[in-house]
Structure formats: C-alpha cells, structure tokens
C-alpha cells in the first residue's frame, strides 16, 4: 500500500475526477484486502486487485448518486468519466515520473504552500495525518482540519485535477522541494508506528528530487536538498540493530554509505551554491553542512561540536525553527557539557513530539539529577508514538 498508494490515486483520479470518492474507495479497498487476503491469499498483482476493488466502489457510488439525482443518468456519468480521463492526460513528454506528476498536481498555486505540501503527503504518499502534524509542528486536529480545507478549496474553487507538464515547475519549485523534504523526513523519522524508519519512502523522495534536478540542472535549492537527503539517508543501515535504535555516536560507521556521502560533499562544493541563494536553499545547505560534519568525523570523538554550534547559529539566523534550536542544544551539550545544554534547551516547545522531553531527560541523567531525569523520561515515553523509539526511552528509563 505504501509503495502503490500514489499511483493508485493518480489512476483513479484520472478516471473518475472525484477526490472524495477516490480516497474513500481506496480506503475501503485496503480494508477489504486486510479482511480477505489472510484467508484467500494475496493476489498475484496486489495493486491491480486494489484498483479494481476501488473502481467498483466508486462506480457503485456514482450509480447511487445518479439514481438519487435522476438528472444524471449513468450514460452521462460514464461520458463525464471519459471526458475526465482526457482532461487528466498530458503528453508525458516533459514529466515522465508519476510521483512528480502527482506532486505538481497537488501544488496548485490556489493552495497555500503548507496546505499543498500537507495535501500531497496525505494524498500522494499516504503519510498518516499524525506524522504530517509532527512535521509541521502543529496538533493532529489542526493538521486534519488544514487538509480538509485544502480538499474543499480544490473542490470549491473548481481547481481541475489535471496533471500539468514541466512548464509549471519554476512557479512551484519551492513547494515541490519542501514537499520532497517533508516526505523524506516522514520516512527518515516516522512519528508513529512500529518502524524506526521507512527507507523506501525516503528513497522515493530522493528519487523525486533527482527527477526535478534533471529538469532544472544546477538549481541551488535542489542541489542543497539532495546533498542533505543523501547525507542523512547514508546512515540508514546503521540506525537499527536487532530492531533496536542505535544512536549516532554508537553507530557502526562502516555501514554508512560512503558513495552517497561522497556525492553529497561534491554537491555542497558545486558552483550552484557559490552564488546568492534563497533562504530555503541556504537552510538546506546549512543543514547539509551540519550533517557533513558527522560524515567526515572518523569517530564520535573527532566530531567538531564547536563548529556545529557555529553552523546551527547560522541556520537559526536563516530559519529560526524550534527543531533547529533543539538540535543546537544537543551540540552545545556535547561541546560544553550537560548544564550548558540544559540552559540552551530552556523555552523550546514543539507540540505533538516527545523529542524535547527526551533530550532533557538525557541531559539531566548526564548531569546526575536522576529523579528529574526519570520524570522527563516518563514524559517523553507518554508522548512517543513510535514503537522503536519508545522502547529505547523505556530502556534508558530502566537504567536509571
């Protein structure tokens, strides 16, 4: 379902042009699969089964609507569907990647960039609403309402679900880049569920950026973003061992993907990042340079934490986000001790995440305040919705 969701949405939308029906029908099809496949066996082509089941549900719904309205006979409905297929079609000569086509479809300029990104993550990639909320640092209820409003905006404004060609890319480039990085983050660090990472989702996001970079060579925001993604993705095989979280200082660096690190460092040294860049490009480039500091250190002890603090200060001057402040507090603690880290942590609040409490717990434990550390671990455990991370926090709590 994770791999095929976006393609199935595109196929069903191109045929039926009804977002509300497509989402409901596809959800029903997945639910039916969960009930019947364990008993009947998995079909030879699972995606085709889901598409057929969803199509039948949409057709049933259209027939029901046609009967109720009495003014929309089935012949007209069928004609409308065929017309919709023509509207959705494009020559395919400029944008051949299905994922990019879907992202461009969802990033219509009538939608605010954040709403477009959230809608893309939910509709195209099937990222849970709770995880999207965490990415945007808002409560889940707020994000659910935002996605709902975006859908209504598309319907109410009559925005066609036509897949555009690459001519619209320059106007939507920043939103596409933001969406790709959010998708990558949803795979790199899922906020919910049993997996510490969804490497296939992160890889698809990287593939999307490569496709767009092929259309817009030397675009600074894409060069910086690809470097950042590659550096983070390069550590995927070392982040989990026997189902347990492995923190960065404890990772086997021989399992890091050296080819991806080398490519990222070449990107950071490229001409594209030597001239004036946008704020978004600078933020990606600075995050990539921070990740590169880890990559070039031969061991945790060789990490230049003071340089990391300088880079985080530059990042905060460009993009002063709570997440960047939290990461900076960790660097301060590594460079100057847990007391300095706790001081840097003061005043940081990130809704719908356990990470602030988890960092506070670790720093309190290092400083010897065991009672306060246990309380902070309890707070982090209660807020953590990812099974692997929660198990790690519970293990650290038990050690105290």
């Amino acid at each position: 379902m994770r791999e095929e969701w976006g393609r199935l949405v595109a196929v069903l939308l191109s045929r039926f042009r009804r977002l509300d029906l497509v989402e409901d029908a596809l959800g029903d099809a997945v639910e039916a699969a969960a009930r019947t496949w364990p008993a009947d066996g998995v079909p030879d082509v699972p995606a085709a089964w889901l598409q057929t089941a969803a199509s039948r549900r949409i057709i049933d719904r259209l027939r029901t609507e046609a009967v109720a309205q009495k003014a929309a006979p089935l012949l007209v409905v069928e004609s409308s569907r065929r017309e919709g297929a023509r509207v959705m079609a494009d020559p395919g000569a400029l944008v051949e990647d299905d994922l990019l086509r879907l992202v461009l479809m969802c990033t219509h300029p009538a939608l605010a960039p954040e709403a477009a990104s959230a809608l893309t993550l939910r509709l195209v990639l099937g990222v849970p609403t709770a995880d999207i909320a965490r990415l945007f640092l808002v409560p889940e209820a707020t994000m659910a309402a935002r996605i709902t409003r975006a859908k209504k905006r598309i319907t109410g404004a009559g925005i066609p679900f036509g897949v555009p060609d690459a001519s619209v890319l320059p106007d939507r480039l920043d939103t596409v880049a933001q969406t790709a990085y959010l998708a990558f983050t949803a795979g790199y660090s899922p906020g919910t569920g049993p997996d510490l990472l969804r490497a296939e989702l992160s890889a698809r996001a990287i593939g999307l950026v490569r496709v767009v970079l092929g259309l817009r060579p030397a675009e600074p925001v894409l060069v910086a973003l690809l470097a950042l993604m590659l550096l983070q993705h390069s550590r995927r095989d070392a982040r989990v061992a026997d189902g347990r979280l492995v923190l960065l200082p404890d990772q086997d660096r021989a399992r890091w993907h050296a080819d991806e690190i080398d490519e990222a460092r070449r990107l950071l040294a490229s001409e594209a990042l030597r001239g004036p860049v946008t704020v978004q490009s600078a933020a990606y480039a600075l995050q990539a340079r921070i990740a590169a500091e880890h990559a070039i250190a031969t061991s945790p002890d060789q990490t230049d934490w003071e340089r990391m603090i300088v880079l985080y200060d530059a990042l905060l001057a460009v993009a002063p986000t709570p997440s960047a402040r939290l990461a900076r507090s960790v660097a301060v603690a590594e460079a100057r001790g847990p007391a300095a880290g706790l001081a840097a942590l003061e005043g940081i609040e990130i809704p719908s995440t356990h990470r602030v409490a988890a960092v506070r717990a670790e720093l309190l434990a290092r400083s010897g305040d065991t009672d306060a550390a246990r309380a902070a671990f309890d707070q982090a455990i209660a807020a953590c919705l990812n099974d692997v991370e929660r198990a790690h926090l519970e293990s650290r709590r038990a050690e105290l």
Side-chain angles (χ1 to χ4, degrees):
M1 186 189 74
R2 288 174 176 173
E3 294 175 1
E4 297 289 345
W5 183 271
R7 189 189 66 80
L8 289 171
V9 168
V11 169
L12 293 169
L13 271 177
S14 68
R15 181 178 178 191
F16 297 105
R17 300 175 62 201
R18 288 281 300 275
L19 174 59
D20 55 338
L21 299 187
V22 166
E23 281 200 295
D24 289 346
L26 196 50
D28 288 346
V30 171
E31 187 271 337
R35 282 189 292 103
T36 60
W37 290 2
D40 300 341
V42 178
D44 292 337
V45 186
W49 190 99
L50 291 171
Q51 180 179 330
T52 300
S55 296
R56 287 171 178 167
R57 282 161 174 77
I58 295 173
I59 291 171
D60 288 344
R61 175 71 178 274
L62 289 172
R63 285 172 175 160
T64 301
E65 289 183 0
V67 171
Q69 294 173 1
K70 295 183 180 179
L74 293 180
L75 183 59
V76 175
V77 174
E78 182 64 26
S79 173
S80 175
R81 293 213 317 267
R82 288 197 296 268
E83 179 185 354
R86 291 195 296 272
V87 172
M88 284 292 296
D90 67 48
L94 293 177
V95 184
E96 298 180 355
D97 183 84
D98 286 340
L99 183 58
L100 176 57
R101 287 154 59 101
L102 278 168
V103 172
L104 290 176
M105 180 181 70
C106 288
T107 53
H108 194 280
L111 295 176
E114 288 194 351
S117 292
L119 181 63
T120 304
L121 291 171
R122 185 73 195 98
L123 180 63
V124 178
L125 298 168
V127 178
T129 302
D131 286 358
I132 300 174
R134 185 182 63 83
L135 293 171
F136 282 91
L137 307 180
V138 299
E140 182 177 353
T142 301
M143 180 50 64
R146 185 177 296 174
I147 293 172
T148 299
R149 284 196 300 269
K151 294 175 184 175
K152 290 181 177 178
R153 171 71 173 157
I154 287 174
T155 303
I159 298 172
F161 266 99
V163 182
D165 62 33
S167 64
V168 306
L169 187 55
D171 294 334
R172 306 185 192 183
L173 188 60
D174 286 349
T175 303
V176 170
Q178 174 182 305
T179 303
Y181 188 44
L182 289 168
F184 175 86
T185 304
Y188 180 81
S189 181
T192 61
D195 304 319
L196 180 68
L197 72 160
R198 290 173 54 188
E200 80 287 349
L201 177 55
S202 295
R204 286 165 64 197
I206 290 173
L208 169 64
V209 174
R210 289 192 186 279
V211 169
V212 183
L213 192 58
L215 297 171
R216 302 281 297 180
E219 188 74 46
V221 69
L222 300 175
V223 171
L225 178 55
L226 182 58
L228 171 58
M229 288 177 162
L230 288 172
L231 286 164
Q232 293 178 332
H233 196 54
S234 69
R235 299 195 292 266
R236 60 190 177 278
D237 293 339
R239 294 178 60 211
V240 184
D242 299 323
R244 295 178 293 104
L245 167 66
V246 182
L247 297 179
L248 195 149
D250 303 321
Q251 290 175 10
D252 179 0
R253 300 187 176 213
R255 301 191 67 194
W256 291 2
H257 290 251
D259 56 334
E260 295 173 355
I261 293 171
D262 291 343
E263 181 183 358
R265 295 182 67 188
R266 288 195 298 271
L267 288 168
L268 287 175
S270 67
E271 290 289 338
L273 299 180
R274 293 185 181 178
V277 297
T278 65
V279 168
Q280 189 176 9
S281 303
Y284 291 149
L286 285 165
Q287 290 177 76
R289 295 189 188 285
I290 290 168
E293 289 295 320
H294 291 297
I296 63 178
T298 56
S299 68
D301 295 339
Q302 297 300 311
T303 305
D304 189 341
W305 289 106
E306 288 292 347
R307 173 157 175 75
M308 298 275 264
I309 294 172
V310 172
L311 289 169
Y312 274 119
D313 287 340
L315 176 61
L316 287 168
V318 173
T321 65
S323 295
R325 288 186 60 201
L326 176 62
R328 181 187 181 276
S329 71
V330 174
V332 169
E334 294 292 345
R336 304 168 187 173
L342 286 167
L345 195 62
E346 285 297 319
I348 300 176
E349 295 182 5
I350 306 178
S352 305
T353 182
H354 64 283
R355 301 194 188 284
V356 176
V359 171
R360 182 178 290 110
E362 287 288 354
L363 296 184
L364 287 168
R366 291 189 195 181
S367 66
D369 193 343
T370 305
D371 290 340
R374 279 197 291 260
F377 271 121
D378 289 339
Q379 181 184 356
I381 291 166
C384 184
L385 300 178
N386 182 275
D387 296 352
V388 177
E389 289 189 81
R390 186 169 58 250
H392 170 77
L393 294 170
E394 290 170 345
S395 174
R396 289 289 295 123
R397 170 68 167 78
E399 291 174 7
L400 295 177

